[in-house]
Amino acid sequence: MSTHQVFSNADACIINIGYTGEISVCGIIGYTGSMQVPSILTDGLTNLEYRGYDSSGVAIIDTSGDIVVRKSTGKLVELILSLQSDPIQGTTGIGHTRWATHGEPNHTNAHPHVDCSSSLTVVHNGIVENYRQIKDELLSQGHIFKSDTDSEVIPHLIETGLSDGLTLDKSIKNAAMKLRGAHAVVIMSKDNPNHIFAFKLGNAGGIVIGKTSDGMILASDLPAVMPYTHQVSYLEPGEL
Ligand code: GLU
């Protein structure tokens, strides 16, 4: 018997980017709704622990509308304890367990990563094969990078689209078009609260989107969304 139902892609606003890109694992989770998000993120990441990781992190839009990032190296329990001892209140957030490919597995390189003004934040599975070239271009435009990761080019690329006057979804699409390799990317912006954006290029882990009674949840794999819904849809390569 099937354990889940597939709902219409229209419910999740899935559109085709027009580029499918070109494998990689680790864990992604995102939720927006009416429930407090921190434990949804950490429970989801715990259910994805089987995939392996070296560090973890979450970004949450807090009650004043700011993006607050919390990271830890090592076991997820460190992140959970940090969120218990210094809680963040919010109902929209994203989380990640990282398997480092570019940059040491340390606090700075753990995801999520932010743009220059911490207005938007990104978690990423995969390898940006052309990150060096993109990073050099962004550095020459004055972008400030904090990490040694390939992933950090993504929030900065999206930021350039926004500063050129593009909408967030168009800026994300433009950024996606510039990335070589296989990717699963999830984006959250303080200027678009109550929304989570995700795109998939090639096969860098799945993105399953679930419709809950009060909002939406997405993750790399079913175990993270099953406690909240059995109504799911999967992103295909090339979809945002
Ligand atoms: N390449 C990225 C990094 O090194 C993402 C790794 C992953 O898929 O966890 O941060």
Side-chain angles (χ1 to χ4, degrees):
M1 193 168 76
S2 168
T3 54
H4 62 276
Q5 302 161 274
V6 173
F7 65 88
S8 157
N9 281 359
D11 288 337
C13 297
I14 293 174
I15 59 164
N16 209 292
I17 297 173
Y19 164 57
T20 59
E22 297 169 34
I23 266 180
S24 172
V25 292
C26 65
I28 280 178
I29 178 90
Y31 166 85
T32 182
S34 60
M35 296 190 282
Q36 281 300 310
V37 75
S39 61
I40 296 176
L41 300 180
T42 52
D43 288 351
L45 293 178
T46 302
N47 287 332
L48 298 171
E49 254 187 318
Y50 71 91
R51 298 163 75 87
Y53 63 99
D54 52 53
S55 53
S56 59
V58 296
I60 293 166
I61 299 184
D62 73 2
T63 46
S64 50
D66 291 324
I67 291 176
V68 182
V69 175
R70 187 74 56 81
K71 301 177 181 183
S72 89
T73 50
K75 290 283 157 208
L76 256 176
V77 67
E78 302 297 331
L79 181 66
I80 294 166
L81 289 173
S82 160
L83 287 164
Q84 282 169 356
S85 65
D86 184 10
I88 306 168
Q89 305 279 325
T91 58
T92 299
I94 59 177
H96 187 261
T97 42
R98 176 178 187 233
W99 192 266
T101 67
H102 291 62
E104 296 285 306
N106 60 26
H107 190 274
T108 309
N109 291 335
H111 301 209
H113 293 291
V114 296
D115 67 329
C116 291
S117 60
S118 292
S119 294
L120 65 98
T121 182
V122 165
V123 293
H124 168 231
N125 286 1
I127 294 174
V128 182
E129 290 170 3
N130 54 336
Y131 90 98
R132 192 63 261 176
Q133 179 198 329
I134 296 174
K135 186 168 176 173
D136 287 346
E137 249 168 65
L138 291 164
L139 284 168
S140 73
Q141 293 165 12
H143 287 262
I144 310 283
F145 282 75
K146 302 188 187 83
S147 80
D148 302 319
T149 64
D150 53 333
S151 310
E152 197 185 350
V153 300
I154 303 172
H156 292 280
L157 274 177
I158 299 170
E159 183 181 20
T160 57
L162 292 171
S163 52
D164 288 345
L166 300 179
T167 57
L168 181 58
D169 52 348
K170 188 80 173 63
S171 301
I172 294 172
K173 183 178 165 182
N174 276 11
M177 301 285 285
K178 296 204 165 98
L179 306 178
R180 300 278 85 87
H183 310 279
V185 178
V186 174
I187 305 107
M188 183 177 79
S189 159
K190 65 189 258 188
D191 298 324
N192 291 256
N194 313 319
H195 287 79
I196 306 270
F197 296 79
F199 66 82
K200 175 171 159 142
L201 297 171
N203 277 306
I207 297 272
V208 54
I209 302 169
K211 192 176 172 188
T212 69
S213 56
D214 69 312
M216 300 293 283
I217 187 164
L218 61 77
S220 303
D221 202 1
L222 272 178
V225 306
M226 293 298 269
Y228 305 96
T229 182
H230 288 198
Q231 272 192 287
V232 298
S233 182
Y234 290 86
L235 275 192
E236 296 294 334
E239 286 182 337
L240 165 65

